[in-house]
Amino acid sequence: LQGGVLVSEVLKLFREHIDDWTKGFLKGKAHDWSKMLLDATCTGVGSILALYLMALFKILNSAFLSSGMAVTGWVIIMENHGIKLPQEFQTTLLVIVMLFCFWWHSLMVSTKKLKDWRKLS
């Protein structure tokens, strides 16, 4: 499910735009069911991708969780001290930390695989 969670998180970025678009031709329960169908489809596609690209999604999931917890923790600490950070800054910081975590976690995995390969040869 880690791929499904990642794809669902990406879908949240476009949720309002998709919701506004579907309200034009779907009303009531049909609109609610279409949102649920879209969520289920995105989660399923992400899970299928994660099965085929397991190593990549493990690293992506790890980077996503690490960066999210780190940035959110520091934002909460800053807000507790009366410093309000703009949402754009928080998002930019999250992306930068996520890219660093992706690079770092990839480096750790590749170093381990290299050590394992050297033991075998």
Side-chain angles (χ1 to χ4, degrees):
L1 282 178
Q2 63 189 9
V5 170
L6 287 172
V7 173
S8 293
E9 288 295 319
V10 171
L11 176 67
K12 284 183 183 179
L13 298 172
F14 306 103
R15 172 68 52 96
E16 289 180 30
H17 301 296
I18 294 170
D19 200 30
D20 292 341
W21 179 68
T22 57
K23 280 182 183 175
F25 54 90
L26 293 173
K27 304 288 185 216
K29 290 287 184 192
H31 183 257
D32 295 339
W33 282 94
S34 68
K35 289 192 307 187
M36 188 171 65
L37 178 64
L38 180 63
D39 286 339
T41 302
C42 287
T43 303
V45 167
S47 296
I48 289 169
L49 282 173
L51 285 174
Y52 287 107
L53 305 169
M54 195 173 294
L56 176 65
F57 270 83
K58 282 182 182 178
I59 293 169
L60 282 173
N61 190 47
S62 179
F64 171 74
L65 290 173
S66 300
S67 61
M69 287 188 288
V71 171
T72 303
W74 280 105
V75 166
I76 290 171
I77 290 171
M78 300 284 275
E79 287 176 351
N80 286 342
H81 290 301
I83 302 170
K84 177 71 175 140
L85 298 173
Q87 186 62 40
E88 294 83 14
F89 179 76
Q90 292 178 31
T91 303
T92 304
L93 186 61
L94 179 66
V95 169
I96 291 169
V97 173
M98 192 178 305
L99 288 172
F100 173 77
C101 288
F102 180 70
W103 170 78
W104 183 256
H105 293 196
S106 300
L107 181 66
M108 289 190 315
V109 169
S110 63
T111 302
K112 182 184 181 313
K113 290 193 182 265
L114 180 65
K115 286 179 183 176
D116 292 344
W117 183 78
R118 285 186 177 159
K119 286 179 184 177
L120 293 174
S121 57

